[in-house]
Amino acid sequence: MDYNILLNDTVNFAQRLIQTPSMSKEEAQIAELVAQECRDLGFDEVWIDEIGNVNGRVFGQNPELGAIVLNTHLDHVDPGEPSLWSVSPFAGVVENGRLIGRGASDIKGPMAVQVYSLAALLRNGERPKRDVVFTGVVQEEIGGAGARHWIKHLDYKVDLVVLGEPSDNQIALGHRGLGQFLVTFNGRSVHASVPQKGDNPNYKLAQFLLNLQSAQSQLSSHEILGATTVAPTIVHVDTKSRNVTPAWTQIVVDFRTASESINSLTEFIHEMAGETNIIVEPIGHVPPESEWGKIIFGYYSPPESGFVQRSRQIIETGMGRETTFSSYSFGTDGRHFVADGLPIIGYGPSLESQAHVVDEYVNLDKMLESLKGHVALLREF
């Protein structure tokens, strides 16, 4: 197998992916591009589902085995102000061994590697050991509607999901889960000229935020996925009049954790508010109240798991070097697959630090190394 030719073709595809803008809910054009590439490369089945996810299947030698799913997403974040970039965000330029452009790291470089690792076997007259399905899903950057649709309609056995999210060719074992809360501080509204006659909830919020900042270290930590963090984000008040004190103030509080529950975080918020009468409401994708005592995970694959150890050994053989375990600081679509018990690892060539930044890039040497690791995994797992 000539990996130099394979890398050139992979980079060319990644460039075309970058040159096709695909903001969330605007992925139709890139889905067609990926689908046609899979057809041209000889995939056995290629289809775009009802929500816009693109899928490509290559049949394996043993149809009785569960499939490997190579999962990436089609969308990217806004490139921001183009003048801040050294090149056009959608040019897909290669400079100094790096492919630069919006989505190069997250996630079009890894997507090209996944597609062409399957192409490598087909070009070599080989079949993977088991069926392999590439899935490029929509709307990952805004909550994961594509991933939720895929898992809801999954109709085949899956023995391994490989997330292409940036891991620097390490084996990412998971990430913290998301717990968001709307916290409301009530007061009494009055004319701003007589503030002493009212009860301004902004002061309660201010004290809460100071307490929150100083007490973050009290939150628990996961031995692999890391410490629980908290970030206050959006603030609302009930009035738009500048000369009226609010009747209530609300703030969104964002926790990332793999060691706390909705119940424990709710208690922590009340503790930070002190004696203040507040309302605390979980928001977003909230589980039934009977499950509020469960730890909030994104996904977590214990390092001693058989599929983790086996994947690592095969990937290391393919790359020709040892690798390490890691975790993601951001969230991935892997969190949507946990309830169905799918075995998950993260493995991609790009750097997490390059996701969503100006002059985003992926290193070509890392893409080559990742191609070798992916090909070995598809052959041997």
Side-chain angles (χ1 to χ4, degrees):
M1 186 178 298
D2 190 329
Y3 275 102
N4 290 324
I5 292 176
L6 182 65
L7 177 63
N8 287 339
D9 292 343
T10 304
V11 172
N12 176 273
F13 181 45
Q15 288 178 295
R16 287 182 282 129
L17 292 171
I18 291 170
Q19 291 160 2
T20 307
S22 53
M23 291 284 291
S24 303
K25 297 188 177 182
E26 299 174 8
E27 301 102 326
Q29 185 179 0
I30 199 170
E32 291 292 346
L33 172 64
V34 175
Q36 189 58 52
E37 194 80 6
C38 292
R39 295 186 191 102
D40 292 344
L41 291 170
F43 283 36
D44 296 303
E45 294 179 345
V46 180
W47 70 99
I48 298 175
D49 65 23
E50 300 84 354
I51 201 171
N53 299 329
V54 60
N55 304 268
R57 176 183 278 117
V58 172
F59 296 136
Q61 301 172 42
N62 187 348
E64 301 301 317
L65 298 174
I68 293 176
V69 172
L70 304 178
N71 171 270
T72 50
H73 55 91
L74 300 174
D75 58 330
H76 58 73
V77 296
D78 193 285
E81 173 53 51
S83 66
L84 298 177
W85 289 66
S86 64
V87 300
S88 170
F90 298 114
V93 174
V94 174
E95 291 183 353
N96 301 318
R98 295 174 173 178
L99 173 60
I100 305 170
R102 175 53 81 223
S105 173
D106 184 16
I107 194 170
K108 295 181 177 182
M111 186 191 309
V113 166
Q114 289 192 343
V115 170
Y116 268 82
S117 63
L118 272 167
L121 293 181
L122 296 176
R123 287 178 173 182
N124 210 43
E126 299 180 59
R127 288 278 170 179
K129 179 177 286 189
R130 60 186 71 227
D131 284 6
V132 179
V133 182
F134 166 80
T135 63
V137 298
V138 299
Q139 300 180 42
E140 188 271 350
E141 297 289 2
I142 58 171
R148 294 197 301 273
H149 181 89
W150 177 79
I151 193 67
K152 181 179 179 181
H153 295 88
L154 182 63
D155 59 358
Y156 51 90
K157 182 183 177 184
V158 175
D159 280 353
L160 182 67
V161 175
V162 182
L163 303 176
E165 296 286 356
S167 74
D168 194 25
N169 288 339
Q170 298 175 11
I171 309 299
L173 298 179
H175 57 79
R176 298 167 301 168
L178 170 65
Q180 291 182 324
F181 298 81
L182 183 65
V183 184
T184 303
F185 297 81
N186 292 303
R188 187 172 68 256
S189 177
V190 295
H191 196 287
S193 64
V194 286
Q196 70 278 10
K197 294 184 178 182
D199 179 14
N200 194 329
N202 283 336
Y203 291 116
K204 302 172 187 177
L205 171 61
Q207 186 60 56
F208 170 76
L209 292 176
L210 290 173
N211 293 343
L212 198 66
Q213 184 179 38
S214 63
Q216 288 194 52
S217 61
Q218 297 178 16
L219 293 164
S220 62
S221 181
H222 187 277
E223 59 181 356
I224 291 179
L225 303 186
T228 300
T229 59
V230 56
T233 58
I234 301 172
V235 178
H236 303 280
V237 295
D238 68 298
T239 180
K240 294 182 180 179
S241 298
R242 291 176 295 182
N243 60 349
V244 176
T245 66
W248 52 259
T249 299
Q250 293 180 328
I251 188 166
V252 174
V253 183
D254 180 304
F255 292 91
R256 305 299 169 105
T257 185
S259 53
E260 300 281 354
S261 67
I262 290 178
N263 285 340
S264 67
L265 293 176
T266 300
E267 292 175 5
F268 177 76
I269 291 170
H270 278 285
E271 182 182 347
M272 293 303 99
E275 298 300 319
T276 302
N277 182 25
I278 63 172
I279 300 172
V280 182
E281 302 170 273
I283 56 177
H285 297 290
V286 181
E289 191 169 354
S290 60
E291 298 183 10
W292 285 11
K294 293 183 178 179
I295 298 299
I296 302 171
F297 280 112
Y299 83 87
Y300 177 54
S301 300
E304 67 274 12
S305 301
F307 71 90
V308 171
Q309 291 293 331
R310 188 177 173 196
S311 299
R312 180 182 185 178
Q313 181 180 24
I314 295 169
I315 288 171
E316 287 181 339
T317 300
M319 293 196 302
R321 68 167 179 86
E322 292 184 354
T323 188
T324 57
F325 292 133
S326 66
S327 62
Y328 295 119
S329 60
F330 53 46
T332 75
D333 273 340
R335 67 189 186 275
H336 301 302
F337 310 149
V338 171
D340 290 77
L342 300 188
I344 306 169
I345 62 168
Y347 177 58
S350 49
L351 294 167
E352 185 174 336
S353 62
Q354 283 301 305
H356 302 187
V357 301
V358 168
D359 284 350
E360 178 180 351
Y361 72 83
V362 59
N363 188 292
L364 303 193
D365 288 341
K366 290 288 186 178
M367 291 179 72
L368 175 58
E369 187 178 67
S370 192
L371 280 165
K372 293 177 179 179
H374 275 87
V375 169
L377 189 67
L378 303 187
R379 276 178 173 154
E380 302 297 332
F381 188 86

